[in-house]
Amino acid sequence: MNPKFIFYHHKNLALAKYVAHYADLPKTAPGAKIEFKSLPQQAVENTWAELPNQLRRLLFFARPDLVICLDDGVRPTHPVFAFEITQHVPARDHWMQRFPNLVGCAQEGVPGAYIMPFDMSEHPSFKSVIDPDFFFAYDRVTEIHQTPVFIAEWQTPDRRTPKGDSKFAAQPCSKMPDMVRAFEFLRTAVDAAFHGRPVASLMRERTIIDLRDRIRQRAYQSQLPSIASFKRLQHAMPNNRPLTLPELRAWLKGKSLTLPTNLPDRLVRRNKFLVFTPQVSTRGKTQAQLRSALMTRIDKKGGDPYLGQPLAFDYLFCRLGTTPYERDCSVVANLTDLKFEDLAKFHRKVWEKSPLQFTSLKKIKHIPTYTMYLKEGGSETIKNFLKLYAFTADLIVFEDGIIYF
Amino acid sequence: MNSEDDVVCAFCDHLRARGCIVLAEGGNQAAAFRYRVGSIIKAPDVVAICGQNLVVAEGKLRARDLFQRAVRGLSDLDACVAIERSSAIQTSLRAEALRRCRVSQIQTRDGLVVKTALFAHRVDKSDVQLAMEAQVPLAEVHSETTIWPDMP
């Protein structure tokens, strides 16, 4: 059987065709065929459970615009490269919003390229320049997961308009230096995957080291990120450092809450707590208004801009290893604008739709979905906000109580 | 064809094959060619330079959905009509197209004329009737795309 590359795209077939045209994969993998498939819009769709297992794990947090999978007829179909593309400059809230998209890739050992403008300082409505902390966060991701991620610049010659390609004018110009590098990186990664070489071996290749150095040049050009430079952290940590356990107890006491007595040992021993507060502009707003505003964000806007923020702060300040348990500082999500029942209503919906409630095989409508639930429970189908906060946080603090992980 | 994305891509492939320059193509185009109709901000599925014309097009899998008004009350056909009637929207779309061509070093002619169009994969006679009444061209997109009336 000829090897096959499957381009799974997230509502972006145009990008998939553009990448397929310029990547020239059959040259890297002789005889290979290319197929385009659309990713299911939601994890509750039946086709979700039919996706290759490793691809589903990669999509745990979010969906990159394009994931290239390899089916070599021998190994299970598996992702080998991912693309994320945006016409927005990653100013602070924006990059954190999309941060989980490529973290899922790195966590699964899948290299990726993130293509974006670096300078939109003349844009009429979204004036923005790039945030160096964005590069620092991705450098940490690369270092922790030993999986290369390249941040490619989509040039904006007039500081407001991304330069288009001569053949696919809606896509980045394929001749821009960073796009040439991105395609070379893609071919290197595909070649390694095709020949069964581990992704970590890429980290020692000169091309990849050069790409990493380009990220570091931007990440370390100014001061390293600190708690004081993020209002959402500074809110509960005015001393520009994580809270100690006694300080955390005092902070909770101010909210009429008490830390559970049976807190996991690892949290007590760390004695460092990074407290993240999504809504910090509270002036003139009642508790009911704050609650309603946050619920609207979660319910109608996919949790943005708060969705990826705890994960970004985790990588910036806490994470040491590949799992959230490998930290020297615990992540606390301050959701005291909400009650426990506000988020609980989302997992109730998953529970109500779960095929695990049926005891008759005749009532199981779709076997792959049923077996996915058997193995994973509802972890893949739960609302993204809940999924990400549960994955990242050690403690979630509600108005009426605390849960820990 | 299973999705709007498939239809958009097939339509754009057809335009490219006819020598058009496709500047916006569905997908991740949130920042491109945005315009405002009342309080609603829209971004067209497709923007392409075809000869002297700047084609601004909206597509759907089923043509009948092009005429359905969404919750906020604007159908794809309404958006096309709004563009045809507003010289301000046309001017801003034209300016963005020229700017994108300039930074991308793509040659264009002066005096682009904005034309709107609709396209879909499944088209019924009643859809054609609606498009004719509104005088907006409707393309039926297959592997061999046909267009009513002649698209520029």
Side-chain angles (χ1 to χ4, degrees):
Chain A
M1 169 196 161
N2 279 342
K4 186 168 69 177
F5 289 103
I6 308 168
F7 282 49
Y8 285 97
H9 62 89
H10 179 215
K11 292 195 286 186
N12 208 339
L13 180 58
L15 171 69
K17 287 192 168 179
Y18 159 81
V19 171
H21 181 81
Y22 286 113
D24 202 10
L25 293 183
K27 201 179 275 182
T28 312
K33 291 182 176 164
I34 290 176
E35 198 177 306
F36 301 100
K37 283 189 180 175
S38 179
L39 285 168
Q41 295 304 305
Q42 293 183 335
V44 288
E45 289 176 29
N46 282 345
T47 48
W48 178 269
E50 294 165 357
L51 291 173
N53 202 32
Q54 203 190 340
L55 176 60
R56 269 196 0 242
R57 287 205 306 270
L58 179 152
L59 300 172
F60 177 81
F61 297 125
R63 256 156 278 187
D65 292 308
L66 174 66
V67 183
I68 302 172
C69 288
L70 171 63
D71 176 5
D72 59 10
V74 181
R75 293 169 290 178
T77 302
H78 58 286
V80 294
F81 201 85
F83 270 100
E84 180 75 358
I85 186 164
T86 176
Q87 293 197 17
H88 293 287
V89 171
R92 187 151 290 178
D93 272 1
H94 186 258
W95 76 254
M96 289 193 177
Q97 204 165 303
R98 294 181 75 139
F99 185 69
N101 288 9
L102 284 188
V103 171
C105 302
Q107 188 142 310
E108 286 303 310
V110 178
Y114 196 160
I115 302 151
M116 69 192 70
F118 284 8
D119 183 358
M120 286 282 215
S121 52
E122 299 294 327
H123 195 283
S125 49
F126 301 108
K127 280 189 179 50
S128 47
V129 288
I130 209 154
D131 178 4
D133 293 347
F134 164 81
F135 292 95
F136 182 86
Y138 270 106
D139 189 40
R140 290 292 293 142
V141 171
T142 301
E143 188 178 24
I144 286 168
H145 295 286
Q146 287 297 294
T147 302
V149 175
F150 177 49
I151 316 289
E153 179 179 10
W154 189 346
Q155 289 177 351
T156 48
D158 61 356
R159 296 182 174 178
R160 64 183 288 195
T161 316
K163 186 175 180 179
D165 186 54
S166 57
K167 183 173 171 64
F168 301 88
Q171 306 297 335
C173 172
S174 59
K175 295 192 174 92
M176 289 185 300
D178 268 12
M179 284 313 297
V180 171
R181 291 184 186 100
F183 282 119
E184 193 185 335
F185 174 31
L186 164 65
R187 284 187 283 271
T188 306
V190 165
D191 183 70
F194 196 68
H195 294 98
R197 279 163 45 217
V199 171
S201 71
L202 291 176
M203 300 294 286
R204 292 194 291 269
E205 289 203 14
R206 173 48 64 191
T207 325
I208 308 296
I209 291 168
D210 289 346
L211 295 184
R212 187 208 61 189
D213 287 347
R214 290 173 62 77
I215 290 178
R216 287 190 171 171
Q217 268 175 357
R218 289 186 176 265
Y220 301 93
Q221 63 183 239
S222 57
Q223 283 192 328
L224 295 186
S226 71
I227 286 171
S229 54
F230 296 93
K231 280 183 188 163
R232 292 189 175 99
L233 297 182
Q234 203 183 21
H235 185 75
M237 297 175 290
N239 296 327
N240 193 22
R241 59 167 176 74
L243 301 183
T244 61
L245 189 55
E247 285 170 339
L248 180 71
R249 285 188 205 281
W251 177 75
L252 289 170
K253 196 176 174 185
K255 297 180 178 302
S256 307
L257 292 167
T258 315
L259 210 54
T261 49
N262 52 351
L263 212 56
D265 197 36
R266 73 172 199 283
L267 304 189
V268 178
R269 286 185 190 183
R270 280 179 196 156
N271 196 27
K272 279 166 77 179
F273 296 87
L274 186 94
V275 183
F276 159 70
T277 306
Q279 297 190 123
V280 287
S281 304
T282 58
R283 191 178 293 173
K285 291 177 188 155
T286 64
Q287 182 65 28
Q289 285 170 328
L290 290 169
R291 182 184 181 195
S292 165
L294 188 50
M295 279 308 285
T296 305
R297 284 273 153 198
I298 296 168
D299 210 7
K300 312 278 186 215
K301 307 280 182 189
D304 286 333
Y306 314 121
L307 183 72
Q309 291 175 353
L311 193 67
F313 291 130
D314 175 21
Y315 277 95
L316 285 175
F317 299 110
C318 308
R319 190 72 80 89
L320 299 173
T322 54
T323 73
Y325 295 103
E326 295 161 82
R327 293 173 175 148
D328 63 348
C329 179
S330 301
V331 176
V332 180
N334 173 14
L335 298 185
T336 47
D337 289 336
L338 302 180
K339 292 180 190 295
F340 175 79
E341 65 180 44
D342 292 330
L343 285 193
K345 77 172 192 185
F346 295 121
H347 60 69
R348 186 182 177 89
K349 277 185 190 166
V350 175
W351 178 71
E352 284 167 352
K353 285 185 180 169
S354 165
L356 297 184
Q357 64 186 291
F358 301 116
T359 53
S360 162
L361 184 56
K362 284 180 185 166
K363 287 194 174 175
I364 305 296
K365 289 180 185 158
H366 189 244
I367 298 289
T369 302
Y370 172 71
T371 50
M372 180 182 82
Y373 269 84
L374 271 183
K375 280 186 165 180
E376 321 284 347
S379 65
E380 292 189 24
T381 49
I382 210 157
K383 197 164 184 65
N384 265 353
F385 186 87
L386 208 49
K387 193 194 293 184
L388 250 116
Y389 276 56
F391 177 87
T392 313
D394 291 296
L395 290 165
I396 298 181
V397 184
F398 298 100
E399 184 195 324
D400 51 349
I402 298 167
I403 59 171
Y404 54 83
F405 298 86
Chain B
M1 286 184 200
N2 297 316
S3 67
E4 185 178 317
D5 212 30
D6 291 341
V7 183
V8 169
C9 252
F11 183 65
C12 290
D13 285 346
H14 167 80
L15 293 179
R16 273 190 285 267
R18 291 175 64 150
C20 302
I21 300 157
V22 179
L23 295 170
E25 187 175 354
N28 203 355
Q29 291 297 334
F33 293 100
R34 281 152 64 113
Y35 61 94
R36 188 182 280 273
V37 182
S39 61
I40 300 171
I41 293 173
K42 290 279 293 176
D45 290 326
V46 173
V47 178
I49 295 175
C50 301
Q52 196 68 43
N53 297 316
L54 181 68
V55 177
V56 182
E58 295 287 352
K60 286 278 188 292
L61 190 60
R62 286 176 296 267
R64 67 164 181 260
D65 294 336
L66 293 164
F67 311 106
Q68 297 288 329
R69 292 203 165 100
V71 182
R72 289 186 295 169
L74 195 70
S75 69
D76 287 327
L77 175 65
D78 292 337
C80 290
V81 171
I83 293 171
E84 294 283 356
R85 286 180 183 167
S86 166
S87 59
I89 296 175
Q90 291 182 21
T91 303
S92 84
L93 291 170
R94 209 180 284 118
E96 179 160 356
L98 292 174
R99 203 175 64 242
R100 284 181 182 265
C101 287
R102 193 171 55 247
V103 299
S104 307
Q105 292 160 333
I106 295 170
Q107 297 280 328
T108 47
R109 299 176 198 176
D110 287 335
L112 287 173
V113 180
V114 176
K115 301 261 185 184
T116 59
L118 299 167
F119 60 95
H121 177 49
R122 291 179 210 150
V123 180
D124 293 334
K125 280 182 185 169
S126 57
D127 304 319
V128 175
Q129 188 63 36
L130 285 170
M132 283 175 79
E133 282 167 16
Q135 297 187 312
V136 178
L138 171 63
E140 187 174 346
V141 180
H142 296 284
S143 48
E144 286 180 26
T145 295
T146 58
I147 294 175
W148 176 93
D150 263 356
M151 189 159 287

